[in-house]
Amino acid sequence: MSQTALAEQARAVVYDAYRQGLPQATAAQLLAGKATPAWIAHEYAALRRRGISQMAGQQELFAPEPADAQQ
């Protein structure tokens, strides 16, 4: 697998961890040594700068279903 593909997979893990409100240390554990803590911190900061909510994933998980979807 190419370095680019590995970086994109790591970035996806960090993005998911961030959106679920998980701490950076948990993201590092999920990546199992495939990324440095400094890189993870940089990615978290980039997501904050982009204005992405750290709790967005939890809000999606626990959001009530629209009335149309309940039928």
Side-chain angles (χ1 to χ4, degrees), residues 18-61:
Y18 176 84
R19 287 189 32 115
Q20 292 176 30
L22 299 174
Q24 293 177 24
T26 302
Q29 288 176 340
L30 291 170
L31 289 169
K34 294 178 182 161
T36 65
W39 183 83
I40 295 168
H42 176 267
E43 291 298 313
Y44 265 57
L47 291 166
R48 272 192 300 275
R49 281 192 306 274
R50 288 176 42 202
I52 296 173
S53 171
Q54 192 165 15
M55 302 303 272
Q58 290 181 9
Q59 291 168 354
E60 290 170 9
L61 285 174

